[in-house]
Amino acid sequence: MRLFGDKTAGIYLPLGRKKVPKRITYRMERSLTGSEQVYRSVCRVCHGGCGVYVHVKDGRVVKVKGDPASPMSKGWMCVKGVFSPEIANHPDRLKKPLKRKKGRGEGEWEEISWETALGEIAERLDKLRIESGPESIALGQGTGRHHYMHVVRFANALGTPNWYEPGLAQCFIPRITVSNLTYGGFVVGDYYGAVRPKCILFWGHNPLITGPDGELAVSVKRALDDGCASIAVDPRRTETAKRCGLWLAVRPGTDAALALAMINVIISEAIYDREFVERWTFGFEELKKHVEGFTPEWAEGITTVPASKIIEAARKYALNKPAILEWGLGIEQNHNSLQTVRAIAVLRAITGNIDVPGGDILGMNIIKSYPTLKDKLPEGAARKRLGGDTYKLLGGWRAFMPSAHIPALFKAMRTGEPYRIRALLVFGNNTLTSVANSREVFESLKRLDLLVVTDLFMTPTAAMADYVLPAAFWTEVDQVIGYPLVVENMVMAQQKITQTGECRQDEWIMDELSKRLGLPGASEDLTHVMNCQLEPLGITFDELKKRAFEFPAHEYGRYERHGFRTPSRKVELYCKSLERMGYGALPTFKEPPESPAASPDVARDYPYILITGSRRLEFFHSEHRQIESLRKLHPDPLVEMHPKVAGQRGIGSGDWVRVSSPRGSIRMRALVTEDIHPDVVAVEHGWWFPERKGPDYGVWESNANVLTDNAPPYDPAFGSYQLRGLLCDIEKEH
Ligand SMILES: Nc1nc2c(c(=O)[nH]1)N[C@H]1C(S)=C(S)[C@@H](COP(=O)(O)OP(=O)(O)OC[C@H]3O[C@@H](n4cnc5c(=O)[nH]c(N)nc54)[C@H](O)[C@@H]3O)O[C@H]1N2
Ligand SMILES: Nc1nc2c(c(=O)[nH]1)N[C@H]1C(S)=C(S)[C@@H](COP(=O)(O)OP(=O)(O)OC[C@H]3O[C@@H](n4cnc5c(=O)[nH]c(N)nc54)[C@H](O)[C@@H]3O)O[C@H]1N2
Ligand code: SF4
Ligand SMILES: [Mo]
């Protein structure tokens, strides 16, 4: 795998041109000098978990090196992790609490002490909860960072049902929920056992770049190096797809049709796992009947993938066992996320690839779930969760981790309907770049009585706040890391090694506010919480730090003793629980609402299909644009398009172009490539420019969420909005 870049043009160009290949794996080889101390920990620049040695000199991180003994990463690191010292020691790190001096967003700050900041914020929160109820205070955060479950805990203790994260309905909650409903637990690829996978089906997922969401890039790389058969379903021929023998360039948002046709092929050709299906699945006959009309030819008309390729993919996946099915964001960021993910989940079951060595395995869950104080949230408060009644699998009582529906929450800030959200405390989310329809987000944030943002750096979102609090970087944080996410087959210790300015771990900030507000759980510190998590292993956090990790041997096929953890004790191909909730027991396809077929009037002005946010190796979401070594590798925001689109619009690689949608327009640099579906335009997400002036730091220039929409229709169960499969136009900038 290579980074492909043309430094002279300042942009990346497609593989196939002349280029200097660059490895993405780095091993630091400088030797240790006398005064350095070395600590064992875990990198957390992303939500992965690469075991590392952290070298510290004069209290500063000077080097981070892969730990060869770490059971998953085995010494490997990506470029973001390697540049951790540059992030940790960056001069722009926030170092003291700040309070705004003038109008909101005017960029004038005074430094205040923690005592003053926490005291003033607690006082204002206290006033708001008395005047308008705790539900008028919302909490926000970003993806899977150390304090994730602590935000949920703090929300419950505070008595507010309204917390959000920009992933959730758009990321991971559909996969987790569908796994739980279908198999009675979340499954991940078995890369670490004695049996190697014979096939991997990558579906809307590019793990060689994105790595951890249940696995590490390096594990996937090793499996592919072993030569297993592989298939990629993706409108882009990604770094991962390039390693696959078969690439299905699906039209964005139509994956459910493709999966239904693959089920059709596998059943009609009788290449399903008869024994497993008979013994361990529920509703096979209903499924068989249901998919009869969903032929490869039917799916070709919808997905644009030739029927012959659909048949080839179905056979390849069903006949090369054991097989892993790696699913990703491409199947969730649409208005039919539940049924799309369900259709794909069924494939694992009918091919008997669940909980077998080298297939997709159920979690061991070796640690206790985080003590989120969920019994402290009053029943009445849970009923007030915005969107909870409607999007039952996001915010209702059946939800995996009930949270507020983002469009409903931001609308309540803006309009006061059904009640006003008056305060928002954000722990690590650059809301203006990561939530759909940034313009409306901006209008919503402006209406708040109180906005508090905790972050590592000043961001366009933090610049709108009343208080900005300095957060600790991963080398400054204690944490129990259960891995892979949700299944916890192993556990690792991340330890606080350094201190920057007056930065504090988010959990500490929440605990200090809890104390000042007299909330439940306020007397339990983080060490107590971490020790609770570790109880089943009979060790404390201090002991885990000494051992670095615990990784017990995996126990396969536990269902053979107790059945699957579903109502039928079997894998639910037909899901009665979903039927009872009114969501349909069998998976179905729905045409994306903004598409050439569904909205031809919009398509006249916006003829191309827009996907946003395919990940790049160098950045984690909106982060790292100020980290020189990373930015050098990827200086500009890029939009990928096929030569067909480029030809129609007179665009060449390296040109600055405008991409527009019915919501707005942004500028990006063109990357013309054959490795993309001919009707698709793919923009990067998360762009702002720390080098520009505040308060907006250029956030309106190249931010993908200026183009996306937060309006209905949403997925009926999760309330997912569309970030992929919208419509757009593109033109060269003059
Ligand atoms: N258009 C489009 N939008 C998307 C996506 C897409 O594909 N397309 N993807 C969505 C998905 S899947 C997700 S998960 C979200 C991600 O959204 P987020 O995870 O919220 O990512 P960011 O917006 O970059 O905000 C994270 C902020 O947290 C700060 N930070 C980092 N570590 C810490 C810490 O330990 N403590 C604190 N307090 N701050 C910290 C960073 O500096 C940064 O400013 O974006 C979503 N938005
Ligand atoms: N370097 C880096 N790593 C990251 C992150 C990051 O910001 N940077 N973010 C982390 C987070 S929070 C997440 S959720 C994961 C996401 O990790 P992945 O699940 O791998 O997500 P993406 O790369 O965003 O998208 C995967 C693929 O979906 C394709 N796609 C778009 N639309 C469709 C569609 O309609 N159907 C199909 N089948 N495919 C489609 C895109 O072309 C893309 O290649 O990555 C994590 N890892
Ligand atoms: S993959 Fe994630 S955890 Fe591993 S080195 Fe890179 S940033 Fe760190
Ligand atoms: Mo995510």
Side-chain angles (χ1 to χ4, degrees):
M1 197 173 46
R2 294 165 301 196
L3 285 180
F4 46 105
D6 180 337
K7 284 210 176 115
T8 50
I11 64 154
Y12 288 171
L13 290 170
L15 277 170
R17 306 231 176 160
K18 254 193 143 186
K19 68 216 164 270
V20 187
K22 213 176 217 164
R23 282 166 17 103
I24 65 151
T25 50
Y26 290 75
R27 285 171 193 273
M28 308 277 287
E29 266 124 29
R30 270 186 301 131
S31 62
L32 204 67
T33 65
S35 58
E36 279 180 21
Q37 293 106 30
V38 182
Y39 300 84
R40 222 166 170 194
S41 193
V42 182
C43 176
R44 272 272 151 141
V45 173
C46 75
H47 44 54
C50 294
V52 292
Y53 286 109
V54 182
H55 294 233
V56 176
K57 200 172 176 184
D58 304 326
R60 285 157 63 96
V61 190
V62 290
K63 179 166 77 176
V64 178
K65 203 176 158 180
D67 173 3
S70 189
M72 295 209 177
S73 54
K74 296 186 175 138
W76 182 90
M77 288 183 75
C78 87
V79 64
K80 294 183 293 304
V82 167
F83 287 121
S84 289
E86 200 176 320
I87 307 172
N89 303 315
H90 196 282
D92 294 349
R93 278 282 302 277
L94 292 164
K95 295 189 187 72
K96 274 176 177 285
L98 303 174
K99 180 181 178 180
R100 93 174 143 81
K101 274 208 299 208
K102 291 197 173 159
R104 179 168 286 161
E106 286 183 22
E108 298 240 6
W109 305 98
E110 63 173 312
E111 288 182 352
I112 55 173
S113 69
W114 273 109
E115 207 42 50
T116 309
L118 293 164
E120 289 186 13
I121 295 166
E123 202 176 305
R124 291 179 68 174
L125 292 176
D126 197 33
K127 192 162 168 277
L128 287 171
R129 70 173 166 163
I130 292 165
E131 279 176 15
S132 308
E135 67 275 11
S136 68
I137 303 167
L139 304 181
Q141 64 169 322
T143 184
R145 295 184 176 86
H146 54 93
H147 55 283
Y148 197 98
M149 297 311 290
H150 217 79
V151 172
V152 182
R153 176 181 163 96
F154 184 47
N156 288 334
L158 188 60
T160 177
N162 291 321
W163 69 276
Y164 79 87
E165 186 250 289
L168 290 176
Q170 285 68 232
C171 171
F172 224 37
I173 282 293
R175 277 173 282 170
I176 296 170
T177 310
V178 163
S179 275
N180 288 343
L181 287 167
T182 313
Y183 324 126
F186 191 60
V187 292
V188 290
D190 183 25
Y191 294 101
Y192 306 103
V195 179
R196 310 293 288 159
K198 279 222 187 83
C199 174
I200 310 180
L201 168 52
F202 299 96
W203 205 309
H205 195 28
N206 183 18
L208 287 184
I209 293 300
T210 58
D213 237 359
E215 83 293 293
L216 284 173
V218 66
S219 327
V220 176
K221 184 179 175 299
R222 278 192 215 111
L224 290 171
D225 288 347
D226 283 353
C228 69
S230 46
I231 308 159
V233 181
D234 198 306
R236 297 162 55 240
R237 196 147 82 98
T238 62
E239 294 77 355
T240 308
K242 284 183 184 129
R243 297 284 315 266
C244 294
L246 188 57
W247 171 42
L248 310 190
V250 65
R251 174 166 70 96
T254 65
D255 300 82
L258 185 61
L260 287 166
M262 283 175 66
I263 299 170
N264 170 300
V265 173
I266 292 169
I267 296 181
S268 62
E269 296 192 0
I271 48 176
Y272 58 92
D273 186 327
R274 222 172 257 276
E275 207 181 306
F276 184 84
V277 163
E278 271 166 28
R279 176 75 187 86
W280 290 113
T281 65
F282 175 81
F284 182 71
E285 287 309 318
E286 287 88 339
L287 176 73
K288 186 174 172 183
K289 196 155 179 298
H290 178 69
V291 299
E292 261 165 20
F294 301 138
T295 60
E297 292 70 27
W298 165 82
E300 175 174 335
I302 294 169
T303 62
T304 71
V305 178
S308 59
K309 279 202 173 179
I310 300 177
I311 296 166
E312 190 185 344
R315 288 179 186 157
K316 199 167 178 181
Y317 174 67
L319 296 172
N320 287 286
K321 284 165 72 168
I324 290 175
L325 197 161
E326 280 289 355
W327 51 8
L329 275 191
I331 62 174
E332 289 178 322
Q333 298 186 335
N334 61 64
H335 83 308
N336 188 32
S337 58
L338 169 71
Q339 298 302 356
T340 303
V341 177
R342 269 277 290 163
I344 295 168
V346 161
L347 283 167
R348 288 197 186 98
I350 59 171
T351 53
N353 275 305
I354 295 172
D355 223 15
V356 292
D360 285 310
I361 50 173
L362 286 159
M364 299 266 284
N365 302 106
I366 63 169
I367 52 171
K368 225 181 178 165
S369 54
Y370 206 85
T372 55
L373 305 174
K374 69 171 176 238
D375 55 324
K376 301 295 179 211
L377 183 73
E379 182 56 35
R383 276 200 300 274
K384 291 182 190 156
R385 181 174 290 116
L386 291 165
D389 281 351
T390 317
Y391 307 108
K392 298 191 188 92
L393 290 176
L394 174 73
W397 67 271
R398 288 292 309 254
F400 173 70
M401 196 167 50
S403 67
H405 186 229
I406 290 177
L409 184 71
F410 283 79
K411 182 167 166 243
M413 286 176 205
R414 242 177 8 259
T415 65
E417 293 297 328
Y419 56 83
R420 190 169 292 283
I421 294 292
R422 299 183 59 189
L424 174 64
L425 272 61
V426 177
F427 295 94
N429 165 227
N430 192 355
T431 325
L432 285 179
T433 60
S434 56
V435 172
N437 200 341
S438 307
R439 292 273 175 202
E440 267 194 17
V441 171
F442 181 69
E443 291 307 320
S444 311
L445 297 180
K446 278 202 311 203
R447 308 281 168 89
L448 290 165
D449 293 336
L450 175 67
L451 176 61
V452 180
V453 175
T454 305
D455 207 298
L456 301 168
F457 291 92
M458 183 60 78
T459 67
T461 307
M464 294 183 72
D466 303 293
Y467 296 87
V468 178
L469 306 177
F473 184 61
W474 70 262
T475 55
E476 301 153 15
V477 163
D478 277 330
Q479 186 190 186
V480 168
I481 302 174
Y483 211 73
L485 299 178
V486 190
V487 302
E488 290 118 19
N489 288 331
M490 69 173 293
V491 65
M492 303 179 270
Q494 183 182 58
Q495 51 175 325
K496 177 168 164 38
I497 298 161
T498 55
Q499 172 71 44
T500 296
E502 293 180 21
C503 296
R504 294 285 184 275
Q505 181 161 358
D506 298 71
E507 293 89 326
W508 178 87
I509 301 171
M510 290 178 245
D511 289 351
E512 288 299 310
L513 289 172
S514 289
K515 282 183 203 159
R516 284 163 177 77
L517 291 164
L519 301 183
S523 59
E524 299 164 358
D525 65 7
L526 184 62
T527 311
H528 168 86
V529 168
M530 292 190 296
N531 288 341
C532 280
Q533 284 181 279
L534 293 171
E535 256 169 36
L537 295 173
I539 53 169
T540 61
F541 182 62
D542 274 341
E543 285 158 348
L544 182 65
K545 276 202 292 197
K546 285 186 207 127
R547 298 182 197 188
F549 57 84
E550 283 285 300
F551 191 15
H554 193 81
E555 221 186 299
Y556 298 95
R558 275 181 298 172
Y559 64 86
E560 285 175 15
R561 269 180 283 137
H562 313 292
F564 288 90
R565 294 173 65 189
T566 60
S568 63
R569 311 310 282 172
K570 293 181 174 182
V571 173
E572 308 225 324
L573 303 176
Y574 186 96
C575 183
K576 283 192 177 163
S577 311
L578 282 173
E579 191 170 47
R580 272 194 296 274
M581 283 183 266
Y583 295 136
L586 290 164
T588 43
F589 163 71
K590 260 198 296 190
E591 176 65 29
E594 192 176 289
S595 73
S599 58
D601 46 333
V602 183
R604 254 192 307 278
D605 294 330
Y606 302 98
Y608 304 116
I609 301 173
L610 174 72
I611 60 174
T612 70
S614 306
R615 300 334 188 212
R616 303 290 180 181
L617 187 67
E618 302 83 357
F619 305 128
F620 199 62
H621 299 288
S622 75
E623 293 186 62
H624 310 131
R625 305 309 191 276
Q626 64 279 80
I627 309 304
E628 212 177 304
S629 303
L630 291 169
R631 185 72 180 274
K632 257 201 316 229
L633 294 170
H634 196 127
D636 298 316
L638 296 184
V639 49
E640 284 169 79
M641 74 203 79
H642 194 268
K644 183 190 98 173
V645 177
Q648 285 170 348
R649 292 292 186 258
I651 294 167
S653 262
D655 287 347
W656 282 98
V657 297
R658 286 211 83 79
V659 186
S660 50
S661 82
R663 272 72 55 187
S665 85
I666 58 173
R667 70 192 293 268
M668 296 216 149
R669 212 148 189 193
L671 175 60
V672 180
T673 170
E674 299 271 353
D675 295 324
I676 190 167
H677 186 291
D679 297 323
V680 171
V681 166
V683 300
E684 296 177 355
H685 79 305
W687 275 93
W688 61 291
F689 301 90
E691 67 273 20
R692 305 268 162 82
K693 274 221 274 304
D696 61 22
Y697 300 97
V699 76
W700 304 114
E701 269 184 57
S702 305
N703 170 3
N705 282 322
V706 166
L707 305 178
T708 59
D709 204 359
N710 55 356
Y714 309 114
D715 177 81
F718 297 112
S720 318
Y721 50 67
Q722 262 186 290
L723 296 172
R724 302 178 185 200
L726 296 158
L727 291 175
C728 72
D729 196 8
I730 185 161
E731 61 178 358
K732 193 166 162 172
E733 225 178 37
H734 298 292

